[in-house]
């Protein structure tokens, strides 16, 4: 493949989003629109990427960091004007791929097909088109006996031209030299008073250049986002594609329309996802895991064979064959070993729990390290916060904690220790000992009889 520079147009105001955020920074399926486009560009192996920023460029530049070079278009005078800003960066004998930051549904497969068509045909420019039942709003593709003859924007088109249903998707390949030359000749003489990128085609044709078109067979790929209704529609289409992708990769999804899997998530074979489940952010679900019903997993790793129902899990690692829920809340910094059980109404935060340990009911475990095969009785609380600072609780292997225990941190419990039910533990407990902290039980005999008198 020839040497490519990718140019991503992202300077437009996005007026119809009615937002303080630049349009391309709105989220869809777990990441900003611009990332959906840039991810495809990097998967295509294009390293030389220029993002054109304008409206809200501080937010965009901060988000992009070192990921792409940012070229500023300080006034938004049209798509042609936007591409003029990159002229100094284009090397003569190379190719340019132009994409819009607000078209996240364009597939890698289609971009690749466009690039291949462009290089095989040797054209000066290749336009990605789509045939839509309702072409309203898009530029229309004009053709004559010789083939492609230009693009007319809807606002400049006559009634006859508006009936054309082959539209310009706004994605193109160009020979860099032809693009540079033509850009220098466009003028803002049209209904919108803008420098149209689409005017370069006329100029290339009249200087003897060849222009090709490639029509995508999936019209949803052309979908550009201009408002929040379209954002939601596009997200629906993407979630549907993602579900189908994972089902074809060996994931069972029960009632797929109630399951939402973000774009960056990775799922293994024979995973089963039950209804009303959200797999968000950078989440990895390994083979044979069973997630749902009613689970939200965010930026977490759920290892092989774990079973999770009715739970929220964020920034955590769930070990192999763990059993979580129902009604568990696993918070950031939690790492569970193999075969750990976390049962109903249990919250775990920033804690490591080693293999085979159980926290079956009604507990809060925070800032703790718990060894292997520990049993935490119902209602156990780690009192990790003294009003000023957080403190750690450390519990050794094979400890048995009776129900309704409070661990007032910092506190350390040695291995094989036993904690009597109802104890408030404020001092360290040596290994293999029994700690019990509660007042002696008093029995007042014949109490009911005495009371009656
Ligand atoms: C453009 C095309 C149209 C095509 C449609 C596909 C032109 C003149 N028209 O129209 O033929 O059917 O896309 O979606 O190109 N942008 C800048 N700077 C600007 C103006 C726009 O960076 O000064 C960016 C926008 O942020 C956006 C992209 O360029 O990412 C497209 O701009 P937009 O105004 O949405 O173009 P359309 O009118 O949709
Ligand atoms: Ca648009």
């Amino acid at each position: 493949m020839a040497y490519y520079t990718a140019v991503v147009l992202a300077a437009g105001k996005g007026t119809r989003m009615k937002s303080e955020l630049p349009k391309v920074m709105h989220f869809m399926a777990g990441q900003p629109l611009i990332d959906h486009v840039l991810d495809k560009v990097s998967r295509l192996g294009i390293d030389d990427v220029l993002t054109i920023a304008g409206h809200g460029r501080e937010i965009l530049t901060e988000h992009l960091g070192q990921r792409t070079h940012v070229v500023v278009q300080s006034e938004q005078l049209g798509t042609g004007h936007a591409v003029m800003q990159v002229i100094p960066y284009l090397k003569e004998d190379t190719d340019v791929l132009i994409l819009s930051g607000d078209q996240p549904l364009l597939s890698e497969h289609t971009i690749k097909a466009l690039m291949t068509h462009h290089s095989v045909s040797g054209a000066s420019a290749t336009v990605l088109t789509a045939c839509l039942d309702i072409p309203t709003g898009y530029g229309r593709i004009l053709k004559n006996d010789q083939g492609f003859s230009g693009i007319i924007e809807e606002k400049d088109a006559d009634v006859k031209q508006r009936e054309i249903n082959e539209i310009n998707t706004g994605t193109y390949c160009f020979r860099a030299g032809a693009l540079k030359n033509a850009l220098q000749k466009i003028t803002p003489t049209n209904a919108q008073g803008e420098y149209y990128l689409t005017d370069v085609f006329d100029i290339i044709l009249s200087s003897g250049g060849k222009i090709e078109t490639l029509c995508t067979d999936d019209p949803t790929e052309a979908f550009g986002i201009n408002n929040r209704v379209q954002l939601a529609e596009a997200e629906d289409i993407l979630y549907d594609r993602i579900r189908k992708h994972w089902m074809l990769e060996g994931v069972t999804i029960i009632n797929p329309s109630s399951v939402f899997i973000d774009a960056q998530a990775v799922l293994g074979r024979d995973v089963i996802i039950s209804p009303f489940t959200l797999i968000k952010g950078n989440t990895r679900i390994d083979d044979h895991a069973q997630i749902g019903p009613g689970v939200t997993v965010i930026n977490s790793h759920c290892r092989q064979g774990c079973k999770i129902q009715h739970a929220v899990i964020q920034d955590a690692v769930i070990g192999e064959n763990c059993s979580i829920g129902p009604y568990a809340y696993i918070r950031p910094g939690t790492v569970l070993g193999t075969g750990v059980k976390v049962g109903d109404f249990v919250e775990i935060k920033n804690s490591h729990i080693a293999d085979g340990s159980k926290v079956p009911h009604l507990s809060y475990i925070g800032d703790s390290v718990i060894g292997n095969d520990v049993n935490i009785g119902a209602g156990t609380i780690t009192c990790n916060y003294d009003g000023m600072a957080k403190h750690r609780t450390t519990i050794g292997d094979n400890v048995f904690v009776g129900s309704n225990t409070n661990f007032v941190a910092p506190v350390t419990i040695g291995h094989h220790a036993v904690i009597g039910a109802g104890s408030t533990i404020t001092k360290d407990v040596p290994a293999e000992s029994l700690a019990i902290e509660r007042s002696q039980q008093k029995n007042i005999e014949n109490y009911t009889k005495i009371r009656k008198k």
Side-chain angles (χ1 to χ4, degrees):
M1 194 74 73
Y3 184 87
Y4 263 94
T5 301
V7 177
V8 181
L9 302 190
K13 191 149 188 264
T15 313
R16 287 165 284 178
M17 297 300 282
K18 301 192 177 163
S19 176
E20 285 172 14
L21 271 185
K23 177 162 72 177
V24 297
M25 284 303 293
H26 282 261
F27 269 64
M28 182 176 120
Q31 57 185 24
L33 297 178
I34 186 86
D35 286 11
H36 288 277
V37 177
L38 293 175
D39 281 356
K40 278 158 214 159
V41 170
S42 53
R43 284 201 295 267
L44 286 162
I46 303 174
D47 298 322
D48 193 3
V49 185
L50 306 171
T51 303
I52 302 178
H55 180 77
R57 59 180 169 270
E58 301 76 18
I59 300 170
L60 183 58
T61 306
E62 196 193 324
H63 169 72
L64 292 174
Q66 299 301 310
R67 187 163 186 194
T68 83
H69 190 80
V70 175
V71 178
V72 173
Q73 181 196 21
S74 32
E75 266 186 296
Q76 283 74 60
L77 304 179
T79 50
H81 181 259
V83 181
M84 283 176 196
Q85 313 309 308
V86 305
I87 290 179
Y89 300 90
L90 301 180
K91 294 168 207 91
E92 200 65 27
D93 199 24
T94 61
D95 289 276
V96 186
L97 169 67
I98 296 182
L99 302 157
S100 290
D102 62 354
Q103 291 184 339
L105 295 180
L106 190 63
S107 74
E108 203 180 313
H109 168 83
T110 299
I111 304 171
K112 209 171 189 167
L114 180 74
M115 290 162 73
T116 304
H117 189 96
H118 181 66
S119 69
V120 169
S121 70
S124 303
T126 308
V127 183
L128 183 68
T129 70
C131 289
L132 304 185
D133 293 339
I134 304 169
T136 312
Y138 291 96
R140 308 296 206 282
I141 304 296
L142 305 177
K143 287 186 171 164
N144 59 23
D145 299 343
Q146 280 83 53
F148 177 90
S149 66
I151 297 175
I152 183 94
E153 288 308 293
E154 171 154 295
K155 289 193 175 122
D156 302 297
D158 61 31
V159 178
K160 200 92 202 114
Q161 289 166 329
R162 287 186 189 200
E163 281 170 11
I164 298 170
N165 63 358
E166 185 174 10
I167 61 98
N168 170 27
T169 64
T171 304
Y172 325 88
C173 290
F174 284 97
R175 295 293 297 153
L179 176 63
K180 272 192 198 180
N181 291 337
L183 278 173
Q184 275 145 8
K185 296 182 187 147
I186 61 174
T187 55
T189 46
N190 50 57
Q192 303 186 81
E194 288 183 0
Y195 291 90
Y196 287 169
L197 178 58
T198 45
D199 284 351
V200 298
F201 299 106
D202 251 354
I203 298 164
I204 294 174
L205 279 175
S206 56
S207 61
K210 174 165 125 180
I211 292 167
E212 287 283 312
T213 59
L214 180 75
C215 190
T216 110
D217 45 15
D218 177 358
T220 64
E221 297 216 19
F223 198 176
I225 289 163
N226 296 314
N227 60 43
R228 297 185 202 226
V229 174
Q230 291 170 334
L231 179 67
E233 284 167 4
E235 190 173 54
D236 258 355
I237 294 169
L238 183 60
Y239 275 136
D240 195 50
R241 283 192 199 165
I242 294 171
R243 287 187 291 256
K244 284 178 178 146
H245 167 80
W246 290 118
M247 288 191 270
L248 293 172
E249 288 296 316
V251 173
T252 294
I253 302 181
I254 300 165
N255 191 301
S257 62
S258 73
V259 170
F260 300 90
I261 303 169
D262 278 352
Q264 313 97 296
V266 178
L267 284 68
R269 287 265 169 102
D270 292 312
V271 164
I272 299 176
I273 311 281
S274 294
F276 311 112
T277 291
L278 314 181
I279 312 280
K280 298 181 72 64
N282 248 322
T283 289
R284 226 174 96 193
I285 312 277
D286 291 349
D287 296 353
H288 302 285
Q290 296 184 20
I291 315 291
V295 171
T296 300
V297 190
I298 308 158
N299 297 326
S300 295
H301 182 188
C302 302
R303 303 182 71 163
Q304 196 157 331
C306 66
K307 294 193 171 108
I308 306 174
Q309 52 171 321
H310 295 289
V312 175
I313 293 169
Q314 181 163 13
D315 299 302
V317 177
I318 308 299
E320 280 179 32
N321 300 318
C322 282
S323 160
I324 312 292
Y327 313 115
Y329 183 21
I330 312 279
R331 294 171 51 197
T334 297
V335 178
L336 306 182
T338 299
V340 170
K341 178 182 168 63
V342 174
D344 50 283
F345 307 104
V346 172
E347 174 177 341
I348 301 190
K349 186 213 78 172
N350 189 33
S351 295
H352 287 219
I353 302 182
D355 301 353
S357 289
K358 296 184 171 71
V359 192
H361 335 266
L362 301 159
S363 288
Y364 171 65
I365 304 295
D367 303 308
S368 302
V369 175
I370 296 180
N372 296 315
D373 298 310
V374 170
N375 188 84
I376 303 282
T380 295
I381 305 291
T382 56
C383 311
N384 60 329
Y385 186 50
D386 60 12
M388 282 167 295
K390 302 281 170 70
H391 302 285
R392 302 193 71 78
T393 298
T394 305
I395 299 178
D397 295 341
N398 297 96
V399 168
F400 181 89
V401 179
S403 295
N404 205 26
T405 294
N406 302 310
F407 289 109
V408 181
V411 69
T412 298
I413 315 301
H415 65 82
H416 285 90
V418 174
I419 312 292
S423 298
T424 294
I425 300 298
T426 54
K427 291 186 271 187
D428 289 354
V429 178
E432 301 186 341
S433 33
L434 167 69
I436 185 155
E437 185 284 333
R438 60 188 187 222
S439 41
Q440 293 259 330
Q441 181 171 338
K442 277 185 208 151
N443 289 343
I444 299 169
E445 287 180 21
N446 295 320
Y447 172 72
T448 44
K449 284 185 199 151
I450 298 164
R451 200 173 58 163
K452 272 184 197 149
K453 281 185 185 161

PDB file of all heavy atoms in Angstrom, residues 16 23 79 100 102-103 137-138 169 222-226 230, ligand 2:
ATOM      1  N   ARG A  16     -25.850  21.900  16.241  1.00  0.00           N
ATOM      2  CA  ARG A  16     -27.100  21.195  16.567  1.00  0.00           C
ATOM      3  C   ARG A  16     -26.989  20.245  17.756  1.00  0.00           C
ATOM      4  O   ARG A  16     -27.992  19.735  18.245  1.00  0.00           O
ATOM      5  CB  ARG A  16     -27.607  20.450  15.317  1.00  0.00           C
ATOM      6  CG  ARG A  16     -28.184  21.395  14.283  1.00  0.00           C
ATOM      7  CD  ARG A  16     -28.352  20.737  12.938  1.00  0.00           C
ATOM      8  NE  ARG A  16     -27.063  20.595  12.247  1.00  0.00           N
ATOM      9  CZ  ARG A  16     -26.909  20.013  11.063  1.00  0.00           C
ATOM     10  NH1 ARG A  16     -27.947  19.484  10.447  1.00  0.00           N
ATOM     11  NH2 ARG A  16     -25.718  19.937  10.512  1.00  0.00           N
ATOM     12  N   LYS A  23     -18.396  18.502  19.136  1.00  0.00           N
ATOM     13  CA  LYS A  23     -19.231  17.359  18.735  1.00  0.00           C
ATOM     14  C   LYS A  23     -18.498  16.023  18.826  1.00  0.00           C
ATOM     15  O   LYS A  23     -19.030  15.045  19.350  1.00  0.00           O
ATOM     16  CB  LYS A  23     -19.748  17.584  17.308  1.00  0.00           C
ATOM     17  CG  LYS A  23     -20.549  16.423  16.777  1.00  0.00           C
ATOM     18  CD  LYS A  23     -21.405  16.788  15.594  1.00  0.00           C
ATOM     19  CE  LYS A  23     -20.632  17.025  14.342  1.00  0.00           C
ATOM     20  NZ  LYS A  23     -21.514  17.301  13.199  1.00  0.00           N
ATOM     21  N   THR A  79     -15.350  22.790   4.612  1.00  0.00           N
ATOM     22  CA  THR A  79     -14.524  21.568   4.594  1.00  0.00           C
ATOM     23  C   THR A  79     -13.271  21.746   3.721  1.00  0.00           C
ATOM     24  O   THR A  79     -12.220  21.185   4.033  1.00  0.00           O
ATOM     25  CB  THR A  79     -15.348  20.369   4.090  1.00  0.00           C
ATOM     26  OG1 THR A  79     -15.997  20.735   2.861  1.00  0.00           O
ATOM     27  CG2 THR A  79     -16.411  19.955   5.088  1.00  0.00           C
ATOM     28  N   SER A 100     -14.328  12.121   8.255  1.00  0.00           N
ATOM     29  CA  SER A 100     -14.980  13.076   9.159  1.00  0.00           C
ATOM     30  C   SER A 100     -15.034  12.491  10.557  1.00  0.00           C
ATOM     31  O   SER A 100     -15.378  11.316  10.728  1.00  0.00           O
ATOM     32  CB  SER A 100     -16.411  13.354   8.704  1.00  0.00           C
ATOM     33  OG  SER A 100     -16.380  14.099   7.523  1.00  0.00           O
ATOM     34  N   ASP A 102     -17.164  12.934  12.692  1.00  0.00           N
ATOM     35  CA  ASP A 102     -18.535  12.688  13.172  1.00  0.00           C
ATOM     36  C   ASP A 102     -19.199  11.516  12.444  1.00  0.00           C
ATOM     37  O   ASP A 102     -20.405  11.390  12.430  1.00  0.00           O
ATOM     38  CB  ASP A 102     -19.381  13.965  13.035  1.00  0.00           C
ATOM     39  CG  ASP A 102     -19.544  14.436  11.592  1.00  0.00           C
ATOM     40  OD1 ASP A 102     -18.913  13.845  10.689  1.00  0.00           O
ATOM     41  OD2 ASP A 102     -20.305  15.391  11.378  1.00  0.00           O
ATOM     42  N   GLN A 103     -18.384  10.632  11.844  1.00  0.00           N
ATOM     43  CA  GLN A 103     -18.951   9.457  11.171  1.00  0.00           C
ATOM     44  C   GLN A 103     -18.368   8.171  11.756  1.00  0.00           C
ATOM     45  O   GLN A 103     -17.574   7.474  11.124  1.00  0.00           O
ATOM     46  CB  GLN A 103     -18.685   9.535   9.667  1.00  0.00           C
ATOM     47  CG  GLN A 103     -19.496  10.649   9.028  1.00  0.00           C
ATOM     48  CD  GLN A 103     -19.345  10.703   7.523  1.00  0.00           C
ATOM     49  OE1 GLN A 103     -18.389  10.195   6.966  1.00  0.00           O
ATOM     50  NE2 GLN A 103     -20.305  11.339   6.893  1.00  0.00           N
ATOM     51  N   GLY A 137     -30.052  16.058   2.817  1.00  0.00           N
ATOM     52  CA  GLY A 137     -28.994  16.628   3.650  1.00  0.00           C
ATOM     53  C   GLY A 137     -27.597  16.383   3.113  1.00  0.00           C
ATOM     54  O   GLY A 137     -26.666  17.090   3.486  1.00  0.00           O
ATOM     55  N   TYR A 138     -27.428  15.366   2.293  1.00  0.00           N
ATOM     56  CA  TYR A 138     -26.091  15.025   1.802  1.00  0.00           C
ATOM     57  C   TYR A 138     -25.810  15.661   0.439  1.00  0.00           C
ATOM     58  O   TYR A 138     -26.720  15.993  -0.316  1.00  0.00           O
ATOM     59  CB  TYR A 138     -25.973  13.506   1.637  1.00  0.00           C
ATOM     60  CG  TYR A 138     -25.970  12.742   2.936  1.00  0.00           C
ATOM     61  CD1 TYR A 138     -27.135  12.189   3.440  1.00  0.00           C
ATOM     62  CD2 TYR A 138     -24.789  12.570   3.660  1.00  0.00           C
ATOM     63  CE1 TYR A 138     -27.139  11.473   4.632  1.00  0.00           C
ATOM     64  CE2 TYR A 138     -24.783  11.854   4.850  1.00  0.00           C
ATOM     65  CZ  TYR A 138     -25.954  11.304   5.332  1.00  0.00           C
ATOM     66  OH  TYR A 138     -25.947  10.601   6.505  1.00  0.00           O
ATOM     67  N   THR A 169     -20.331  10.391   0.963  1.00  0.00           N
ATOM     68  CA  THR A 169     -20.193  10.080   2.397  1.00  0.00           C
ATOM     69  C   THR A 169     -19.222  11.033   3.094  1.00  0.00           C
ATOM     70  O   THR A 169     -19.145  11.051   4.317  1.00  0.00           O
ATOM     71  CB  THR A 169     -19.644   8.653   2.608  1.00  0.00           C
ATOM     72  OG1 THR A 169     -18.322   8.598   2.069  1.00  0.00           O
ATOM     73  CG2 THR A 169     -20.529   7.600   1.958  1.00  0.00           C
ATOM     74  N   ALA A 222     -22.594   5.678   6.123  1.00  0.00           N
ATOM     75  CA  ALA A 222     -22.497   7.100   5.776  1.00  0.00           C
ATOM     76  C   ALA A 222     -23.031   7.992   6.895  1.00  0.00           C
ATOM     77  O   ALA A 222     -22.871   9.206   6.866  1.00  0.00           O
ATOM     78  CB  ALA A 222     -23.294   7.368   4.507  1.00  0.00           C
ATOM     79  N   PHE A 223     -23.666   7.378   7.869  1.00  0.00           N
ATOM     80  CA  PHE A 223     -24.396   8.106   8.899  1.00  0.00           C
ATOM     81  C   PHE A 223     -23.501   9.125   9.626  1.00  0.00           C
ATOM     82  O   PHE A 223     -22.575   8.762  10.340  1.00  0.00           O
ATOM     83  CB  PHE A 223     -24.949   7.081   9.890  1.00  0.00           C
ATOM     84  CG  PHE A 223     -26.063   7.585  10.762  1.00  0.00           C
ATOM     85  CD1 PHE A 223     -26.711   6.726  11.639  1.00  0.00           C
ATOM     86  CD2 PHE A 223     -26.474   8.904  10.717  1.00  0.00           C
ATOM     87  CE1 PHE A 223     -27.735   7.168  12.445  1.00  0.00           C
ATOM     88  CE2 PHE A 223     -27.497   9.358  11.520  1.00  0.00           C
ATOM     89  CZ  PHE A 223     -28.133   8.484  12.387  1.00  0.00           C
ATOM     90  N   GLY A 224     -23.777  10.402   9.405  1.00  0.00           N
ATOM     91  CA  GLY A 224     -23.044  11.451  10.110  1.00  0.00           C
ATOM     92  C   GLY A 224     -23.893  11.945  11.275  1.00  0.00           C
ATOM     93  O   GLY A 224     -25.113  12.014  11.177  1.00  0.00           O
ATOM     94  N   ILE A 225     -23.253  12.271  12.384  1.00  0.00           N
ATOM     95  CA  ILE A 225     -24.002  12.690  13.573  1.00  0.00           C
ATOM     96  C   ILE A 225     -24.022  14.205  13.671  1.00  0.00           C
ATOM     97  O   ILE A 225     -22.969  14.848  13.713  1.00  0.00           O
ATOM     98  CB  ILE A 225     -23.370  12.048  14.816  1.00  0.00           C
ATOM     99  CG1 ILE A 225     -23.682  10.550  14.777  1.00  0.00           C
ATOM    100  CG2 ILE A 225     -23.920  12.669  16.096  1.00  0.00           C
ATOM    101  CD1 ILE A 225     -22.832   9.738  15.668  1.00  0.00           C
ATOM    102  N   ASN A 226     -25.217  14.769  13.676  1.00  0.00           N
ATOM    103  CA  ASN A 226     -25.357  16.219  13.796  1.00  0.00           C
ATOM    104  C   ASN A 226     -26.093  16.640  15.059  1.00  0.00           C
ATOM    105  O   ASN A 226     -25.942  17.759  15.518  1.00  0.00           O
ATOM    106  CB  ASN A 226     -26.092  16.783  12.574  1.00  0.00           C
ATOM    107  CG  ASN A 226     -25.279  16.566  11.299  1.00  0.00           C
ATOM    108  OD1 ASN A 226     -24.079  16.812  11.278  1.00  0.00           O
ATOM    109  ND2 ASN A 226     -25.927  16.070  10.265  1.00  0.00           N
ATOM    110  N   GLN A 230     -29.559  11.666  16.481  1.00  0.00           N
ATOM    111  CA  GLN A 230     -28.722  10.854  15.588  1.00  0.00           C
ATOM    112  C   GLN A 230     -27.614  10.141  16.362  1.00  0.00           C
ATOM    113  O   GLN A 230     -27.241   9.018  16.020  1.00  0.00           O
ATOM    114  CB  GLN A 230     -28.111  11.737  14.493  1.00  0.00           C
ATOM    115  CG  GLN A 230     -29.169  12.226  13.520  1.00  0.00           C
ATOM    116  CD  GLN A 230     -28.644  13.293  12.572  1.00  0.00           C
ATOM    117  OE1 GLN A 230     -27.702  14.014  12.895  1.00  0.00           O
ATOM    118  NE2 GLN A 230     -29.257  13.383  11.402  1.00  0.00           N
TER     119      GLN A 230
HETATM  120 CA1  LIG B   2     -22.132  16.420   8.540  1.00  0.00          CA
END
